[in-house]
Amino acid sequence: MEPLLSKEKNETDELPVWNRTMRVVTIMTNPLCMHALSEVPLSGNERYIGFSVDLVKELSQEMGFKYKIRLVEDGTHDGMITEILESKGDMVVADLTVTTDRQKQLDFTMPFMNLGISILFTQPQAKPPSLFSFMSPFAWEVWIYIAVAFLSVSFILFLVARITPYEWDSPLPCIANPEKLYNQFNLANSFWFTIGSILQQGSDLAPKAVSTRIIAGTWWFFTLIMVSSYTANLATFLIVQELEESFKNLEELANSKIDYGCVANGSTSKFFSSSQNPVKQRIWENMKRKGEIVLKTSNDEGINSVRARPGKFAFFMESTIIEYHMERKCGITQVGGLLDHKGYGIALPKDSPYLDFFNSKILKMQENGKLDELKRKWWKEEGKEASETCPTTSVSDSVKALSLSNVGGVFVVLVFGCIVAIIITATEFFFKIRKLKTKGSLKEEIIKDLQFALQCRGNVKPVKKEKTTEGVVTEDELGSTPYLNNFVSSLNEAVESSSGSGG
C-alpha cells in the first residue's frame, strides 16, 4: 500500500498548474499586501507580506505551482484587470470585489473573504453629565412608585398607630395610672420615620405595637433593597459615560447634515449609482454633486478625511478594511450593519482551465479554518506594534436604568406587609375595646374609638380604666398622691394643647 503522502503528491502532479510559474498581480493594500520590513535587502516574493501573500503561498503548496508577485504601476483595481486582459498576469489576488461587470471580462473563484459596504465614522463622544444624573439608576416609573409607596406607608403607619391601643402610652412612665395617653406617631412623625429610613439615618421614634412594628420592618426591608440597588447602579452610572451618537443607520445619515463620500470609480460608488433604493439614490446624487470634496481616490484618503473632520464626515468602504483600521487607529468606528453582501475572489483570465481547481482548494481552506486563521493573523495580531494607543472608553449600552420589572417584587413584599399589619391592628383594636368596654354595647365602643382615630388630629386621648371585680375603681387606679395627680393633669393638658396646636 502506497503512503498517503505519495498519493497526495501524485494527485498534485495531475493538476494543470503543477510546476508552472504563475504571475500574481496585486496592489499595495493593508493588510492584504504590504512591504516587508528588513535590515537586509530583500528580493522576489520576500519583499511582500500580508494576507494575499500568505493565501498565494498556501495555494502554491496545495497545488504545486510556483509564483511571482508583481505590483501594477498605477496601483488601481482597473490596472490589475487590464494586466490580466493584456496577458501580463495570470491571476489577481487582492481586495478585488466580485461584480457582474467584472465577471464579463474575467473568471472569479469562489470568495475567499466575505464582506459588505459599511460606514466609517468618528467614534461617538461622551455626553456631558445631566444636572439630574443622580436619578439615572432608576427609571422614572420606579421613582413614581417609590414616591407613592413613601406617601402610602407613612399614612398607613399614622392610621394604624392611631387605631392600635398599644401605641397610646403615657408621656411620663413614672405615673402608674395616667388620665390621658399620648401617641408618638402623629402625621408629621410618621412621615419623618419613613423618610429617615429611606435616607438610612433612622429616627428617635420606636414602634411599640406588633402591627406598627410589622409595617416598620417591611418598610425597612423595602428601603434596604431599594437603597442597595440604587447605590450599586449609581456607581456604574458614574463610571460609564453615555455616548452621543450622530446617526445609527443609513437613513439617519442621509437626513443629517453630515457629509459622506466613497472611493470614486470603485465598486462602492457603483453600488450607490446603480441602486434603485430612494435613500441610496439620494446619497449618490449628493456625492456626485459635491464631487472631489467627498469622492476620494483611495480608502486611506477617506480615512484621513474622517479623522480630520471628526463628527462631520462619514466614509463608505468595505467592512474588512474598516475592521483592520479600527484595530490600529483611534477615534474611528463602524456605524450600523452591512449595506450589501459580497466577497473578494481570485481573478483569472476568461475561460481559465484552472478555475475549478482553485475553487476546490479555496473551499478546502474554508472548511479546515485556514482562511479564518489567516484573517485573524493579519487583522488582529500582525502589525499592531505601530498601532496608536487609544484611551479606553466605557460602553453605555451595558448599563440600563432599573425598571419596575427588576424591583417589582420589593413592592409586593411592602404591600403584603402593610396588609398583615392592618389585619393585626384590627385584631388588637377589637380585643382591647372588648377588654376595656365600660358603658354601652361593644359596637358603640368600636364606632366611638374608630371615629376618634379617623379624625386624624390630636395625639392625646383619655385613659379607659379596666373594670374591677366589684365594679369600682381602686385608690391605686386614681393615684395615691392628690398633688401628683394635679401635676400630671396639668402636664397632660399642656401636652394636649401643644399637640392640638401642632396638628
Side-chain angles (χ1 to χ4, degrees):
M1 183 176 179
E2 295 182 357
L4 181 61
L5 181 63
S6 175
K7 182 178 180 181
E8 290 181 352
K9 182 177 180 181
N10 292 335
E11 290 178 352
T12 306
D13 291 342
E14 297 175 358
L15 296 177
V17 295
W18 170 254
N19 211 26
R20 286 179 57 93
T21 300
M22 304 291 288
R23 294 169 297 175
V24 180
V25 179
T26 188
I27 58 176
M28 301 300 293
T29 304
N30 296 340
L32 280 80
C33 184
M34 302 174 288
H35 287 292
L37 300 178
S38 176
E39 297 179 354
V40 297
L42 301 176
S43 61
N45 297 333
E46 295 180 352
R47 295 174 294 172
Y48 310 109
I49 59 173
F51 179 91
S52 298
V53 178
D54 284 357
L55 177 61
V56 174
K57 183 178 180 181
E58 290 289 336
L59 290 173
S60 68
Q61 293 175 353
E62 288 286 334
M63 302 175 68
F65 66 84
K66 302 175 183 178
Y67 64 94
K68 181 179 180 181
I69 298 176
R70 180 170 177 270
L71 299 179
V72 295
E73 295 179 359
D74 60 359
T76 63
H77 294 85
D78 291 338
M80 292 188 294
I81 295 175
T82 302
E83 291 279 318
I84 300 298
L85 295 177
E86 294 179 355
S87 300
K88 296 180 180 180
D90 298 313
M91 57 191 295
V92 174
V93 185
D95 56 337
L96 190 63
T97 307
V98 181
T99 64
T100 53
D101 291 338
R102 290 170 178 170
Q103 282 182 324
K104 295 177 182 178
Q105 299 175 301
L106 306 172
D107 281 342
F108 281 91
T109 64
M110 65 176 297
F112 59 82
M113 184 179 297
N114 295 311
L115 62 144
I117 298 174
S118 191
I119 307 173
L120 179 71
F121 193 61
T122 311
Q123 199 169 37
Q125 301 297 317
K127 288 183 179 180
S130 171
L131 183 63
F132 296 97
S133 58
F134 65 88
M135 301 188 71
S136 300
F138 286 148
W140 281 106
E141 59 177 356
V142 176
W143 285 114
I144 294 174
Y145 275 95
I146 291 176
V148 172
F150 163 67
L151 296 174
S152 302
V153 171
S154 300
F155 193 70
I156 291 174
L157 178 63
F158 169 65
L159 288 180
V160 168
R162 290 185 64 82
I163 294 174
T164 178
Y166 299 103
E167 283 297 338
W168 295 92
D169 201 358
S170 171
L172 297 175
C174 59
I175 306 302
N177 297 288
E179 294 182 357
K180 295 183 179 181
L181 299 178
Y182 173 77
N183 193 323
Q184 61 179 342
F185 283 104
N186 55 26
L187 191 59
N189 283 349
S190 298
F191 279 93
W192 178 249
F193 178 83
T194 52
I195 195 66
S197 302
I198 292 179
L199 300 178
Q200 303 288 288
Q201 299 302 313
S203 67
D204 55 352
L205 302 173
K208 301 174 183 177
V210 175
S211 54
T212 51
R213 288 182 177 181
I214 290 178
I215 292 180
T218 307
W219 178 249
W220 289 340
F221 171 78
F222 173 83
T223 56
L224 172 66
I225 301 300
M226 299 305 294
V227 171
S228 300
S229 303
Y230 174 83
T231 305
N233 221 28
L234 177 64
T236 308
F237 268 94
L238 294 177
I239 296 174
V240 178
Q241 294 178 320
E242 187 177 359
L243 302 181
E244 189 173 10
E245 297 179 332
S246 301
F247 63 94
K248 297 181 180 179
N249 49 51
L250 185 66
E251 289 76 11
E252 293 183 5
L253 175 61
N255 296 326
S256 68
K257 297 181 180 179
I258 300 173
D259 289 335
Y260 42 81
C262 65
V263 174
N265 301 322
S267 60
T268 303
S269 62
K270 291 180 181 179
F271 166 76
F272 284 102
S273 62
S274 61
S275 176
Q276 301 300 318
N277 184 282
V279 177
K280 296 174 183 176
Q281 287 180 347
R282 179 153 51 94
I283 287 178
W284 171 245
E285 292 298 328
N286 290 336
M287 290 193 295
K288 188 169 62 173
R289 185 178 66 255
K290 295 181 180 180
E292 295 181 355
I293 299 176
V294 297
L295 295 176
K296 308 299 181 179
T297 58
S298 65
N299 286 328
D300 290 338
E301 185 180 352
I303 296 172
N304 293 333
S305 298
V306 171
R307 303 185 71 188
R309 300 173 59 189
K312 297 181 179 180
F313 183 75
F315 193 70
F316 298 105
M317 59 190 299
E318 284 83 2
S319 58
T320 51
I321 308 301
I322 293 178
E323 293 171 7
Y324 175 79
H325 287 284
M326 282 176 57
E327 291 287 334
R328 290 158 176 79
K329 295 181 180 179
C330 303
I332 57 175
T333 186
Q334 178 178 336
V335 179
L338 302 181
L339 304 182
D340 68 341
H341 297 277
K342 53 190 177 182
Y344 293 151
I346 297 177
L348 301 169
K350 196 67 176 176
D351 301 323
S352 172
Y354 311 139
L355 180 62
D356 292 337
F357 299 100
F358 275 102
N359 281 336
S360 177
K361 296 304 178 182
I362 291 175
L363 180 61
K364 180 180 178 181
M365 294 178 65
Q366 187 177 16
E367 291 176 345
N368 60 24
K370 189 63 179 180
L371 291 178
D372 292 334
E373 180 182 337
L374 290 178
K375 184 177 181 181
R376 183 171 56 254
K377 171 185 176 182
W378 290 105
W379 263 256
K380 301 288 184 180
E381 300 172 2
E382 294 290 337
K384 296 196 71 174
E385 298 81 5
S387 302
E388 300 175 0
T389 303
C390 305
T392 57
T393 56
S394 302
V395 182
S396 63
D397 291 341
S398 62
V399 183
K400 296 181 179 180
L402 296 178
S403 63
L404 188 61
S405 59
N406 301 115
V407 294
V410 187
F411 287 92
V412 174
V413 174
L414 181 63
V415 172
F416 178 76
C418 292
I419 293 174
V420 172
I422 291 173
I423 294 174
I424 294 179
T425 301
T427 305
E428 293 174 339
F429 177 78
F430 176 77
F431 281 103
K432 192 67 174 181
I433 292 296
R434 185 178 180 183
K435 184 177 181 181
L436 298 178
K437 183 176 71 71
T438 55
K439 297 179 180 180
S441 63
L442 179 62
K443 181 179 179 180
E444 293 175 351
E445 293 289 336
I446 291 177
I447 293 175
K448 181 179 178 181
D449 276 49
L450 279 177
Q451 288 177 343
F452 173 80
L454 298 178
Q455 285 178 357
C456 298
R457 56 187 177 86
N459 60 336
V460 178
K461 72 175 183 179
V463 178
K464 287 188 176 181
K465 304 292 184 177
E466 293 189 25
K467 292 183 295 183
T468 61
T469 56
E470 298 180 359
V472 297
V473 182
T474 63
E475 181 180 356
D476 292 337
E477 292 171 332
L478 292 175
S480 58
T481 308
Y483 299 104
L484 183 58
N485 287 336
N486 292 335
F487 170 74
V488 171
S489 299
S490 301
L491 183 60
N492 286 336
E493 290 177 359
V495 171
E496 183 176 7
S497 61
S498 63
S499 301
S501 59

